[in-house]
mmCIF file of all heavy atoms in Angstrom:
data_model
loop_
_atom_site.group_PDB
_atom_site.id
_atom_site.type_symbol
_atom_site.label_atom_id
_atom_site.label_comp_id
_atom_site.label_asym_id
_atom_site.label_seq_id
_atom_site.Cartn_x
_atom_site.Cartn_y
_atom_site.Cartn_z
ATOM 1 N N HIS L 66 -12.842 3.017 -11.175
ATOM 2 C CA HIS L 66 -13.883 3.960 -11.611
ATOM 3 C C HIS L 66 -15.197 3.226 -11.870
ATOM 4 O O HIS L 66 -16.257 3.816 -11.746
ATOM 5 C CB HIS L 66 -13.428 4.752 -12.849
ATOM 6 C CG HIS L 66 -13.055 3.908 -14.030
ATOM 7 N ND1 HIS L 66 -11.778 3.414 -14.202
ATOM 8 C CD2 HIS L 66 -13.770 3.447 -15.091
ATOM 9 C CE1 HIS L 66 -11.728 2.706 -15.322
ATOM 10 N NE2 HIS L 66 -12.935 2.704 -15.875
ATOM 11 N N SER L 151 -8.208 -2.757 -16.692
ATOM 12 C CA SER L 151 -8.687 -2.042 -17.883
ATOM 13 C C SER L 151 -7.532 -1.605 -18.780
ATOM 14 O O SER L 151 -6.353 -1.818 -18.456
ATOM 15 C CB SER L 151 -9.472 -0.813 -17.434
ATOM 16 O OG SER L 151 -8.587 0.101 -16.800
ATOM 17 N N ASP L 152 -7.882 -0.968 -19.873
ATOM 18 C CA ASP L 152 -6.849 -0.397 -20.743
ATOM 19 C C ASP L 152 -5.930 0.517 -19.941
ATOM 20 O O ASP L 152 -4.703 0.454 -20.058
ATOM 21 C CB ASP L 152 -7.498 0.434 -21.866
ATOM 22 C CG ASP L 152 -8.364 -0.403 -22.789
ATOM 23 O OD1 ASP L 152 -7.854 -1.375 -23.360
ATOM 24 O OD2 ASP L 152 -9.560 -0.068 -22.919
ATOM 25 N N GLY L 153 -6.544 1.379 -19.131
ATOM 26 C CA GLY L 153 -5.762 2.324 -18.343
ATOM 27 C C GLY L 153 -4.807 1.605 -17.403
ATOM 28 O O GLY L 153 -3.629 1.977 -17.271
ATOM 29 N N MET L 156 -1.953 0.344 -19.377
ATOM 30 C CA MET L 156 -1.047 1.368 -19.910
ATOM 31 C C MET L 156 -0.055 1.825 -18.848
ATOM 32 O O MET L 156 1.026 2.305 -19.163
ATOM 33 C CB MET L 156 -1.851 2.572 -20.401
ATOM 34 C CG MET L 156 -2.513 2.373 -21.745
ATOM 35 S SD MET L 156 -3.231 3.928 -22.354
ATOM 36 C CE MET L 156 -4.965 3.521 -22.402
ATOM 37 N N TYR L 179 -9.178 -8.779 -18.395
ATOM 38 C CA TYR L 179 -8.901 -7.477 -19.000
ATOM 39 C C TYR L 179 -10.148 -6.997 -19.736
ATOM 40 O O TYR L 179 -10.627 -7.664 -20.643
ATOM 41 C CB TYR L 179 -7.702 -7.642 -19.946
ATOM 42 C CG TYR L 179 -7.414 -6.532 -20.929
ATOM 43 C CD1 TYR L 179 -7.795 -5.204 -20.699
ATOM 44 C CD2 TYR L 179 -6.712 -6.816 -22.105
ATOM 45 C CE1 TYR L 179 -7.502 -4.204 -21.623
ATOM 46 C CE2 TYR L 179 -6.409 -5.825 -23.028
ATOM 47 C CZ TYR L 179 -6.816 -4.518 -22.786
ATOM 48 O OH TYR L 179 -6.531 -3.535 -23.701
ATOM 49 N N ASP L 180 -10.650 -5.851 -19.328
ATOM 50 C CA ASP L 180 -11.808 -5.228 -19.979
ATOM 51 C C ASP L 180 -11.319 -4.577 -21.273
ATOM 52 O O ASP L 180 -11.056 -3.380 -21.320
ATOM 53 C CB ASP L 180 -12.430 -4.197 -19.026
ATOM 54 C CG ASP L 180 -13.643 -3.511 -19.636
ATOM 55 O OD1 ASP L 180 -14.193 -4.041 -20.615
ATOM 56 O OD2 ASP L 180 -14.036 -2.447 -19.123
ATOM 57 N N ASP L 181 -11.212 -5.406 -22.280
ATOM 58 C CA ASP L 181 -10.581 -4.995 -23.548
ATOM 59 C C ASP L 181 -11.644 -4.333 -24.425
ATOM 60 O O ASP L 181 -12.206 -4.949 -25.322
ATOM 61 C CB ASP L 181 -10.001 -6.249 -24.209
ATOM 62 C CG ASP L 181 -9.110 -5.939 -25.395
ATOM 63 O OD1 ASP L 181 -8.954 -4.751 -25.730
ATOM 64 O OD2 ASP L 181 -8.580 -6.899 -25.986
ATOM 65 N N ASN L 182 -11.922 -3.056 -24.127
ATOM 66 C CA ASN L 182 -13.034 -2.386 -24.821
ATOM 67 C C ASN L 182 -12.581 -1.313 -25.814
ATOM 68 O O ASN L 182 -13.411 -0.615 -26.390
ATOM 69 C CB ASN L 182 -14.026 -1.797 -23.806
ATOM 70 C CG ASN L 182 -13.386 -0.723 -22.921
ATOM 71 O OD1 ASN L 182 -12.281 -0.252 -23.175
ATOM 72 N ND2 ASN L 182 -14.107 -0.329 -21.876
ATOM 73 N N ASN L 183 -11.263 -1.187 -25.970
ATOM 74 C CA ASN L 183 -10.714 -0.231 -26.955
ATOM 75 C C ASN L 183 -11.105 1.217 -26.703
ATOM 76 O O ASN L 183 -11.017 2.048 -27.602
ATOM 77 C CB ASN L 183 -11.143 -0.609 -28.389
ATOM 78 C CG ASN L 183 -10.512 -1.899 -28.832
ATOM 79 O OD1 ASN L 183 -9.300 -2.071 -28.702
ATOM 80 N ND2 ASN L 183 -11.315 -2.835 -29.292
ATOM 81 N N ILE L 184 -11.547 1.510 -25.490
ATOM 82 C CA ILE L 184 -11.963 2.880 -25.182
ATOM 83 C C ILE L 184 -11.272 3.337 -23.904
ATOM 84 O O ILE L 184 -11.181 2.586 -22.928
ATOM 85 C CB ILE L 184 -13.501 2.953 -24.964
ATOM 86 C CG1 ILE L 184 -14.265 2.740 -26.278
ATOM 87 C CG2 ILE L 184 -13.907 4.276 -24.315
ATOM 88 C CD1 ILE L 184 -14.253 3.913 -27.247
ATOM 89 N N SER L 185 -10.766 4.547 -23.923
ATOM 90 C CA SER L 185 -10.412 5.216 -22.667
ATOM 91 C C SER L 185 -10.940 6.648 -22.760
ATOM 92 O O SER L 185 -11.785 6.931 -23.625
ATOM 93 C CB SER L 185 -8.910 5.110 -22.375
ATOM 94 O OG SER L 185 -8.158 5.773 -23.356
ATOM 95 N N ILE L 186 -10.506 7.522 -21.883
ATOM 96 C CA ILE L 186 -11.213 8.794 -21.744
ATOM 97 C C ILE L 186 -11.167 9.662 -23.004
ATOM 98 O O ILE L 186 -12.165 10.249 -23.409
ATOM 99 C CB ILE L 186 -10.671 9.590 -20.535
ATOM 100 C CG1 ILE L 186 -11.129 8.903 -19.244
ATOM 101 C CG2 ILE L 186 -11.166 11.042 -20.567
ATOM 102 C CD1 ILE L 186 -10.649 9.561 -17.968
ATOM 103 N N THR L 190 -8.758 3.661 -27.970
ATOM 104 C CA THR L 190 -7.396 3.484 -27.442
ATOM 105 C C THR L 190 -6.333 3.589 -28.528
ATOM 106 O O THR L 190 -5.171 3.833 -28.221
ATOM 107 C CB THR L 190 -7.256 2.125 -26.727
ATOM 108 O OG1 THR L 190 -7.790 1.112 -27.588
ATOM 109 C CG2 THR L 190 -7.988 2.123 -25.407
ATOM 110 N N ILE L 243 -18.036 -0.992 -24.104
ATOM 111 C CA ILE L 243 -18.325 -0.096 -22.989
ATOM 112 C C ILE L 243 -19.782 0.374 -23.112
ATOM 113 O O ILE L 243 -20.287 0.564 -24.218
ATOM 114 C CB ILE L 243 -17.320 1.089 -22.944
ATOM 115 C CG1 ILE L 243 -17.417 1.853 -21.625
ATOM 116 C CG2 ILE L 243 -17.482 2.014 -24.152
ATOM 117 C CD1 ILE L 243 -16.259 2.803 -21.355
ATOM 118 N N HIS L 257 -17.877 6.639 -20.512
ATOM 119 C CA HIS L 257 -16.903 6.270 -19.477
ATOM 120 C C HIS L 257 -17.218 6.957 -18.157
ATOM 121 O O HIS L 257 -17.288 6.305 -17.122
ATOM 122 C CB HIS L 257 -15.477 6.630 -19.925
ATOM 123 C CG HIS L 257 -14.510 6.726 -18.791
ATOM 124 N ND1 HIS L 257 -13.829 5.636 -18.317
ATOM 125 C CD2 HIS L 257 -14.148 7.767 -18.001
ATOM 126 C CE1 HIS L 257 -13.077 6.014 -17.286
ATOM 127 N NE2 HIS L 257 -13.259 7.305 -17.078
HETATM 128 MG MG1 MG C 2 -11.070 0.855 -21.773
#
Side-chain angles (χ1 to χ4, degrees):
H66 58 272
S151 66
D152 297 303
M156 282 189 243
Y179 166 26
D180 180 18
D181 190 359
N182 62 12
N183 293 310
I184 290 285
S185 64
I186 288 179
T190 49
I243 192 166
H257 160 87

